[in-house]
Amino acid sequence: MEDNDIHPWTFLDEYRGRVFNTTWPTFPQVLSISAERYPDSPCFTDFDGPDGAKRTLSYAQVLANVKKLAKWMTANGIKKGDKIAVTGKNSPEWGTVYLATLFASGIIVPIDYALHDNETDNLIKTAQPKMVFADEDKYDVFKANPGTMKILSLSPRHADTYIYNLETEGEVPENQPAEPDDTAAILFTSGTTGIPKGVMLSHENFISDCYIAQSNFRHGNGDVFYALLPIHHAYTMQAAFINPLSTGAEIVFGKSMAVSRLMKELREGKITVMLGVPLLYNKLLAGITKGIREKGPLVAGLMKFLMSLSYLIKKITGKNPGKVLFKTVLQQANIYTLRVAICGGGPLSSSVFRAYNAAGINFIQGYGLTETSPILALNPIEHFKIESVGKDFYPYEEIMILNPDKDGVGEITVKGPMVMKGYYNMPEETAKMFTGTGFLRTGDIGRLDSEHYLILRGRAKNIIVTSGGKNVYPEEIEDAFQLYDDIQQITVQSYIEDQNTRSEGIEALIYPSDEVFNTLGVKREEMFASDDVKEIIQGDVDAVNRTLQPYARIGKVTILEQPLAMTTTLKVKRNYKK
């Protein structure tokens, strides 16, 4: 993007009337524009070549592959509005299926590859796709019971149905092109038992959100995005797939969070923009700080001073000296090439936010939900606020706080072109999501400050109301533990403190980290015979309790023998309460 652009999407005016005639282009039009602007620039990259070799496809090559597959889909019975499912780990093949479906004017249905077979079956029965593309982990499962669907492969191990081998000779009449308001994707959220809830998002939903979000974060040709988190999830799909495609940037597909592979892809991919969730960034930071501590107290003390100085300089001047001061440390962590790190999927501890910025990494938080394509707020690099999950995109969207209290805190509602069309075949559930004035109810609690920055408090359904009538937000308490090495997982909930009055107290469910047991020299299976484990954990809880208001302090600690179930985006599933 040029600095003198009025908006990040101003360049689209060159193509308006020639490639598209609507307010926002569709997916096929976006890719066609990028391929025209940057035909030879790298588009899709992975490290699945021989012996982990890097493989890259240019924009021209990706467009050719997408058009070839779309032609095959159309020749094999796909009509406008038909659904095609894709399930598998992140890969260029996954991205090709996604785009080819939209070029064929179909609807893409990305499915979480980590779901159990019965859950996947439930989604397939609900969506009723004509075709399913699966990687080698699920391919045989689908082949064993195909029904009326065509089963295709994302893996070359099944050469006869491998997507790059699917080709049709001769002329094939194209389907009527998709319109901006046509459904582009159905993204299934939680609720995979019973009737699943599928969010219908249009071309306009995705593409408007893509360009509008760039108001707070500019990127372009030459940037390298790291799609490490599962791309079926709306956050990664928008931020690490759709966004880079819109500006001619490169996408590196990561398949695993195994440390050795992660480090290789960061180093050899020369990543400039990384998307992550709090747990991922906490782990990276823990590795960096551990390396610093091992250099001795003198070096560690000096580094701490320099980081404080670096952060102060950045806040005052906008310049970031950390890249120079901590070059060696960043190179060892394979993140020296990082220009920006973005955190979503949940609030991040302010100390982690501060540490990355101090170390020379422009680190920003964003906020959104699947129903909003998903980005609703993003912290600008030039003027970020640690306490905020981002600045809104007014006037292109409108955020309103519903029934605010004296501090301006209430339910966050939104209206804008990125808001979903509705839930698939669920008109009553859709209606419940909107206010009488057409604002989408997010279910999140927060407030907007005077500069339109959003401060998130937590989920409405998770609020704990104490006997004194105080609202306690579990997420805020959990965030306070993000840098405690002894705790691998913590989830805060209410419990009945007094059976007579039915008053509620605050309980923490804690799964200790391996570090606790290594320190004590005991095995995890011995933990319930060891009061020392409980003592260490209680010490951390006491330390955090001292920073909390009396009514928000943890009164009960439950040590878990097994970890809590997590989603593929590393968030604890809140279905733990009996």
Side-chain angles (χ1 to χ4, degrees), residues 510-525:
I510 295 176
Y511 183 67
S513 69
D514 291 340
E515 195 149 324
V516 174
F517 302 96
N518 293 338
T519 299
L520 294 172
V522 298
K523 296 179 180 178
R524 186 175 286 276
E525 53 266 30

Side-chain angles (χ1 to χ4, degrees), residues 64-82:
N65 286 339
V66 165
K67 285 184 172 180
K68 185 180 81 167
L69 182 58
K71 180 181 176 182
W72 181 90
M73 289 173 171
T74 305
N76 282 269
I78 293 300
K79 305 295 184 188
K80 182 175 181 178
D82 284 344

Side-chain angles (χ1 to χ4, degrees), residues 111-343:
I111 294 177
D112 185 348
Y113 63 81
L115 292 177
H116 297 300
D117 290 346
N118 65 315
E119 294 175 318
T120 301
D121 288 343
N122 198 27
L123 298 189
I124 292 294
K125 287 175 184 175
T126 300
Q128 303 254 302
K130 295 284 183 68
M131 297 178 178
V132 176
F133 288 80
D135 66 5
E136 56 197 70
D137 292 342
K138 295 277 189 179
Y139 183 82
D140 290 335
V141 175
F142 282 112
K143 269 293 190 182
N145 186 23
T148 59
M149 302 179 299
K150 285 186 172 68
I151 311 301
L152 295 316
S153 177
L154 299 177
S155 168
R157 293 190 181 182
H158 303 284
D160 57 328
T161 57
Y162 179 46
I163 73 159
Y164 290 152
N165 295 338
L166 302 176
E167 192 165 5
T168 302
E169 298 295 334
E171 292 295 318
V172 177
E174 294 183 357
N175 291 327
Q176 183 182 356
E179 298 294 331
D181 192 49
D182 288 340
T183 299
I186 299 175
L187 306 186
F188 285 100
T189 60
S190 56
T192 50
T193 57
I195 301 175
K197 190 178 287 185
V199 178
M200 296 187 295
L201 296 171
S202 69
H203 288 258
E204 182 178 28
N205 289 154
F206 277 123
I207 303 305
S208 66
D209 195 52
C210 161
Y211 286 116
I212 289 170
Q214 291 172 36
S215 302
N216 290 359
F217 167 48
R218 297 219 174 185
H219 54 79
N221 182 249
D223 271 316
V224 183
F225 283 68
Y226 193 21
L228 175 63
L229 298 174
I231 205 167
H232 69 264
H233 191 275
Y235 168 42
T236 316
M237 188 183 298
Q238 178 61 271
F241 183 68
I242 300 171
N243 254 267
L245 285 176
S246 76
T247 62
E250 181 180 357
I251 302 166
V252 172
F253 292 92
K255 287 189 177 181
S256 167
M257 289 195 194
V259 174
S260 58
R261 178 154 184 155
L262 174 66
M263 290 296 107
K264 172 186 170 69
E265 290 172 349
L266 282 171
R267 180 177 63 255
E268 296 183 20
K270 294 182 169 53
I271 307 299
T272 66
V273 182
M274 182 173 176
L275 289 297
V277 291
L279 182 60
L280 175 63
Y281 287 120
N282 291 340
K283 283 187 173 182
L284 275 175
L285 185 61
I288 293 170
T289 52
K290 184 179 180 182
I292 291 172
R293 285 199 304 268
E294 287 174 352
K295 295 182 182 296
L298 190 62
V299 173
L302 177 60
M303 292 289 279
K304 186 176 180 180
F305 167 76
L306 289 175
M307 287 182 77
S308 297
L309 179 63
S310 172
Y311 182 79
L312 186 64
I313 292 171
K314 182 175 182 183
K315 284 297 286 182
I316 294 173
T317 68
K319 307 293 184 184
N320 196 339
K323 267 283 174 70
V324 177
L325 290 172
F326 308 111
K327 181 177 180 179
T328 303
V329 173
L330 296 174
Q331 285 176 329
Q332 288 175 345
N334 295 313
I335 56 175
Y336 180 70
T337 59
L338 266 190
R339 184 171 71 84
V340 181
I342 303 174
C343 184

